[in-house]
């Protein structure tokens, strides 16, 4: 992708240094738990013991409140990793900027730009505690996209390297924001509450496939109007859509494929709907709730 000359979004919230690195416990989590711990005797005991342990570690040099270097890495290696992370952060800001350009055009006067939060390992969200192991996600309660940049390496392990593969992931999460703005997410959650598990899963799949289609719509305009795509980029997006299909992830986990347990859609369906949005560039083509 020709992203380096693109305008960066200012809607980036960088929380990557907001952690107690050596202690391994995010301060935000402690603050959320503190009122509950203080209400019970056992909670107060836990706080007392934790405080004593913290003091011991601090005064004996075992605990630092500053972000620590990764174990086994030299300073030069750490600096190199930081530089790579910073370039990835610039990439995220550039891609988010393109989503703002596209969706402001398509939803004239109705688009409210979301914040994108960069974090490491864990962070508090309006939807509860977010964890890197869950991958990038969108929280409708606070209208924010959450991304741990380590997911880039996970994409490569899944067989979807390349900048457009990661751009597709960002566009997919922004697609969920569009669904939230249009009221689709609320309608689906309401329908799921009245449905059985199998039907609730089907609704979840439809919602995810529509976000894939919206990512394709974004890709259509990034290619046709912004002229940012290069040879092979679309194939990277298709590879990413295929890599995160429920059937493929079930196989990688050593489990039998169980379509009734799908929540995001099969690889084939995810690729199909991304390509549908990319080809048309129209939201109307993304009616995944009426696929028959």
């Amino acid at each position: 992708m020709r992203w380096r000359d693109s305008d960066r979004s200012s809607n980036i919230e960088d929380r990557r240094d907001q952690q107690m690195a050596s202690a391994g416990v995010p301060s935000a989590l402690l603050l959320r738990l503190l009122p509950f711990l203080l209400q019970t005797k056992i909670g107060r005991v836990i706080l007392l013991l934790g405080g004593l342990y913290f003091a011991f570690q601090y005064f004996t040099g075992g605990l630092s409140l500053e972000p620590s270097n990764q174990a086994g890495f030299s300073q030069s290696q750490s600096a190199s990793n930081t530089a790579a992370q910073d370039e990835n952060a610039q990439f995220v800001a550039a891609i988010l900027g393109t989503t703002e350009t596209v969706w402001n055009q398509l939803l004239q006067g109705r688009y409210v730009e979301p914040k994108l939060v960069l974090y490491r390992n864990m962070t508090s969200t309006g939807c509860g505690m977010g964890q890197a192991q869950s991958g990038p996600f969108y929280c409708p309660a606070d209208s924010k996209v959450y991304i741990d940049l380590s997911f880039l390496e996970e994409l490569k392990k899944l067989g979807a390297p390349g900048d457009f593969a990661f751009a597709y992931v960002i566009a997919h999460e922004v697609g969920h924001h569009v669904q939230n703005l249009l009221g689709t997410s609320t309608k689906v959650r309401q329908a799921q509450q009245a449905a059985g598990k199998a039907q609730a899963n089907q609704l979840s799949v439809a919602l995810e496939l529509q976000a894939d289609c919206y990512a394709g719509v974004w890709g259509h305009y990034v290619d046709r109007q912004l002229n940012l795509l290069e040879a092979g980029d679309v194939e990277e997006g298709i590879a990413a859509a295929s890599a995160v299909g429920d059937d493929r992830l079930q196989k990688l986990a050593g489990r039998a494929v169980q379509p009734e347990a799908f929540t995001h859609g099969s690889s084939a369906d995810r690729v199909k709907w991304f390509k549908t949005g990319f080809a048309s560039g129209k939201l109307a083509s993304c009616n995944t709730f009426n696929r028959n």
Side-chain angles (χ1 to χ4, degrees):
M1 287 188 73
R2 292 181 284 266
W3 63 271
R4 295 184 184 279
D5 294 330
S6 299
D7 292 336
R8 275 41 166 185
S9 171
S10 60
N11 290 309
I12 300 291
E13 186 179 331
D14 196 341
R15 300 183 188 173
R16 288 176 293 169
D17 289 331
Q18 293 182 16
Q19 60 179 327
M20 294 168 60
S22 298
V25 180
S27 56
L29 177 58
L30 289 175
L31 290 175
R32 289 172 69 91
L33 291 177
L34 188 58
F36 302 100
L37 291 174
L38 289 173
Q39 289 176 3
T40 63
K41 184 176 180 179
I42 187 65
R44 291 191 290 271
V45 171
I46 291 173
L47 283 175
L48 176 61
L49 292 176
L52 291 173
Y53 173 78
F54 181 92
F56 174 78
Q57 290 290 314
Y58 181 77
F59 287 111
T60 57
L63 178 66
S64 169
L65 295 182
E66 298 298 325
S68 64
N69 187 19
Q70 293 177 307
F73 285 176
S74 67
Q75 287 297 323
S76 60
Q77 286 175 311
S78 180
S80 176
N81 290 339
T82 300
Q85 289 267 307
D86 286 343
E87 176 159 328
N88 291 336
Q90 288 295 314
F91 174 78
V92 169
I95 298 305
L96 186 62
T98 66
T99 67
E100 291 166 356
T101 298
V102 170
W103 289 110
N104 273 310
Q105 176 181 335
L106 292 176
L107 300 179
Q108 296 180 5
R110 294 182 291 163
Y111 190 63
V112 180
E113 297 172 358
K115 293 283 187 180
L116 189 150
V117 178
L118 296 174
Y119 73 99
R120 286 193 179 101
N121 301 322
M122 297 177 70
T123 192
S124 59
T125 82
C127 301
M129 191 57 59
Q131 301 185 48
Q133 65 189 27
S134 301
F137 61 95
Y138 172 73
C139 173
D142 58 20
S143 299
K144 292 182 179 181
V145 174
Y146 291 85
I147 292 177
D148 184 313
L149 292 177
S150 65
F151 185 72
L152 270 169
E153 296 305 315
E154 293 301 317
L155 268 181
K156 293 175 184 177
K157 293 177 184 177
L158 290 170
D163 49 12
F164 191 74
F166 192 38
Y168 149 79
V169 171
I170 297 170
H172 172 91
E173 299 307 333
V174 173
H176 283 310
H177 178 63
V178 173
Q179 291 172 323
N180 195 32
L181 292 177
L182 297 179
T184 309
S185 303
T186 300
K187 291 178 181 178
V188 168
R189 285 195 298 271
Q190 291 172 344
Q192 286 176 319
Q193 291 173 358
K197 183 176 181 180
Q199 187 180 359
N201 282 352
Q202 290 175 2
L203 288 168
S204 176
V205 168
L207 197 68
E208 293 295 333
L209 293 179
Q210 188 176 66
D212 285 328
C213 189
Y214 286 171
V217 170
W218 159 84
H220 174 95
Y221 287 94
V222 164
D223 183 34
R224 306 291 175 84
Q225 289 190 3
L226 303 183
N227 193 32
L228 298 184
L229 299 194
E230 300 176 300
D233 280 342
V234 175
E235 288 73 17
E236 288 178 5
I238 291 172
S242 177
V244 292
D246 282 325
D247 53 341
R248 185 168 187 270
L249 295 179
Q250 286 177 352
K251 289 178 182 178
L252 289 175
R255 302 197 303 269
V257 174
Q258 299 177 303
E260 69 277 5
F262 287 178
T263 57
H264 287 66
S266 67
S267 293
D269 280 342
R270 300 199 72 167
V271 168
K272 170 191 172 183
W273 283 103
F274 171 78
K275 292 171 71 174
T276 296
F278 188 88
S280 71
K282 297 179 180 178
L283 274 70
S285 68
C286 297
N287 184 7
T288 57
F289 296 92
N290 185 20
R291 288 176 280 160
N292 297 327

